[in-house]
Structures are given as structure tokens and as C-alpha cells.
Amino acid sequence: MTTFEQWLKTSTTLSDKSVRSYVGVVRKISGQLRETDAIDSTLDAIETVSELGKIKDAFFGIPKNREADQRGRNMYSAGFNKFITYRKDAR
């Protein structure tokens, strides 16, 4: 279990299914960012919350990512937002 997953389970009232969805979304976004060389490692390796915010804005600034988020009823952006909140709490 990742620390993000553990945080979702202990710090939110999300169902297990939602927790799995958010963890999967963040994993998928992290992989897409690595594939496009937008980041070198993983989202966990990003040091500051402000940098995560910039990465999020750039990611959803790409039309195909924004459209996928809309088709998924904002699950991608919600997952990224949860990840940013997790990182804020982890400080």
C-alpha cells in the first residue's frame, strides 16, 4: 500500500472503490508525465506543492488530457487534487 493510498483511507471518508480509483488515476498521470518527459521520476519525487500545481495546470492544459478528464467526470483532476492535498498534509 502506498502512503497516498494509506492517507486516502485514514484521512478521507472515501469508499474503497474511490480510493482505488484515485490511486490508479495518480499512477496513470504520473506515467503519462514520465513518458512525455514532463517529469523525470514520479509525482512523489516532486518537492513542492506549488510545483505540483504547475504540473497539474500544464497537464490539464493539454486538450486531450482535459477532454479525458471531462469524459471521466473529472476523476483525473479530482485525483490530482487529492494528491496535492495529501502532499500538503505530509509536510
Side-chain angles (χ1 to χ4, degrees):
M1 178 182 313
T2 66
T3 53
F4 176 52
E5 182 178 5
Q6 191 172 11
W7 177 85
L8 287 170
K9 287 183 176 203
T10 59
S11 300
T12 69
T13 58
L14 295 170
S15 69
D16 287 343
K17 182 179 187 295
S18 292
V19 167
R20 286 190 304 274
S21 294
Y22 284 135
V23 169
V25 160
V26 170
R27 229 181 251 133
K28 182 175 183 171
I29 291 171
S30 188
Q32 288 175 336
L33 288 165
R34 280 193 316 273
E35 286 174 10
T36 61
D37 294 324
I39 60 175
D40 294 331
S41 184
T42 65
L43 288 174
D44 278 322
I46 304 301
E47 294 186 17
T48 66
V49 171
S50 64
E51 191 174 351
L52 281 172
K54 290 176 189 175
I55 291 168
K56 178 187 155 222
D57 291 344
F59 183 82
F60 291 107
I62 297 169
K64 76 173 189 172
N65 294 339
R66 189 173 48 251
E67 290 164 9
D69 187 42
Q70 290 169 347
R71 278 192 311 275
R73 294 180 291 193
N74 300 319
M75 177 61 93
Y76 291 93
S77 57
F80 210 130
N81 289 335
K82 291 283 187 202
F83 186 77
I84 290 172
T85 301
Y86 152 71
R87 291 297 299 275
K88 285 179 186 174
D89 284 357
R91 284 198 248 161

